[in-house]
Every structure is written in structure tokens, then in C-alpha cells.
Amino acid sequence: MQPQLGEAIDFVLKPQRVIATEPGDTLQGLADRYGTTVQTLRSLNPFLLPLDTVLTAGGDTLLSLAGQYGTTVEWLMANNPDVHRWGGHVVIEGETLKSLAELYLTTPATLRKYNAPTYDFWSQSEPLPVGAELVVPLTRPSTPLDPGQELLVPLFRPSTPLPEGWLHLPPRRRSFADPDDRSYLDVDPEPEPEPEPVP
């Protein structure tokens, strides 16, 4: 949309918070210091996004690896489709897509997707037919993974020393108590208007 000649234009600039990393800085240390998360720092700084391949060891689970590499179970599953193991579940009386989703730590939408076309429009609270066999995920966050399995993980762990350089931080959160607070700007506040004399 082009402005018309003489039309007032307001620009809203969002200030960027940038810091210089120092020797010994880590993602977790900076996240704690600046009140943010490791995932947020990664999303704001593309150089922190490279991946590494690791081999699982005995006892590794998606939950333990997510904590070790500062990511989420969902991220690990999305980037490592080979960890998905699926099996069958025979429905007993009273089970619904919602109850199966809770049992297998997934969502009704995921169960619909893997059981289409029969159940792709099934209500999550409607009882399923007794004896029906549904495809369900067998890999849960706490399920031990096969040793020696290759997994993609973030290269920079929360405790990995970061290279020296610049790092973007999320904007400071403004206080709900004072919506006019502009302390995040490096300018002097506007002076308060003088009260008008009462006649």
C-alpha cells in the first residue's frame, strides 16, 4: 500500500537487544541471565541452529536427550522420524480418541491422521467401536531407545561454550502495571504537561 502525498506515516521500530558473547558464555547461562529460554535464543540466532548426529546409548530416552541437548521431545521426534514406532491397540469398552491419546502421550489429531480414513472425522469424546484395532505410537518420551541409533540433535548444547560474537536477545517484556513505560528506549521521557490553572 502506497502512502498518499502529504499523508502522515507512523513507523514503529522494535528495538533489538544485542550482546557480545564473552569467553565462557553458554546458552543456559545467557538464558538464565536475561530471563529467557535456550529455545528462544536458538530461534533468534540462526548460527545456533546447526545440527549434530549422535548415537544413542543404553538407557537413553527422548526425555533424557531433550534435557541433555536443551530441546523438546516434540522437536526430537519431528527431526528424527525413525524414532517413531507404531503398533496396534484393540479398543475396549468406553475408550475414546481422547483417552487413547492420553494413554499413548499423543493427540487425538495424530490418532486420526494415522487411522484415516475410518477415524479421521471421529469425535475425540465419542466411544470407539469395541474390538476395533487402531494404530498407536509406541515410542513415548520415557521409552528406552535402541542403543546405537543415529539421532539429529542441536549442535550447541545448553552447556557448550559459545563462540565470541554477537547474540540477539528477545525484547524486554513491558510491565502490565504501566503500559506507557518506555524505559526500553534510549531516549529521555517526554515531560509531563503542566496542569492548566483552575479559574
Side-chain angles (χ1 to χ4, degrees):
M1 173 182 246
Q2 288 287 78
Q4 299 296 317
L5 184 60
E7 180 181 358
I9 302 173
D10 289 329
F11 287 100
V12 179
L13 299 175
K14 292 185 179 179
Q16 290 288 326
R17 290 176 61 201
V18 180
I19 60 164
T21 57
E22 299 174 2
D25 278 343
T26 64
L27 279 173
Q28 190 63 58
L30 292 173
D32 292 344
R33 188 179 321 153
Y34 292 100
T36 187
T37 64
V38 169
Q39 288 89 350
T40 300
L41 290 176
R42 282 191 182 125
S43 69
L44 292 172
N45 297 281
F47 78 91
L48 296 174
L49 295 177
L51 303 178
D52 192 15
T53 302
V54 297
L55 294 177
T56 57
D60 280 345
T61 66
L62 290 173
L63 201 55
S64 67
L65 291 171
Q68 188 177 348
Y69 289 94
T71 189
T72 63
V73 169
E74 292 78 16
W75 185 93
L76 287 173
M77 291 185 86
N79 286 281
N80 296 284
D82 292 342
V83 300
H84 294 284
R85 287 189 226 134
W86 298 89
H89 175 91
V90 178
V91 175
I92 59 173
E93 188 173 343
E95 287 184 319
T96 63
L97 286 177
K98 184 176 180 181
S99 68
L100 289 181
E102 290 169 2
L103 178 66
Y104 289 100
L105 301 174
T106 188
T107 64
T110 300
L111 291 175
R112 282 188 196 102
K113 175 181 173 183
Y114 284 95
N115 290 282
T118 307
Y119 298 103
D120 54 348
F121 292 106
W122 200 271
S123 168
Q124 70 176 2
S125 55
E126 184 179 343
L128 293 161
V130 174
E133 189 167 331
L134 271 71
V135 175
V136 294
L138 298 180
T139 304
R140 299 180 186 179
S142 58
T143 302
L145 299 170
D146 297 332
Q149 189 174 1
E150 286 189 356
L151 282 185
L152 286 176
V153 295
L155 177 63
F156 290 99
R157 296 165 96 172
S159 59
T160 302
L162 296 172
E164 290 186 37
W166 299 101
L167 193 75
H168 291 272
L169 298 174
R172 284 192 181 110
R173 294 183 184 162
R174 291 183 26 188
S175 168
F176 288 109
D178 184 7
D180 295 325
D181 177 24
R182 295 177 187 255
S183 60
Y184 60 91
L185 298 174
D186 292 330
V187 295
D188 293 328
E190 294 178 16
E192 291 291 321
E194 294 288 326
E196 294 188 25
V198 178

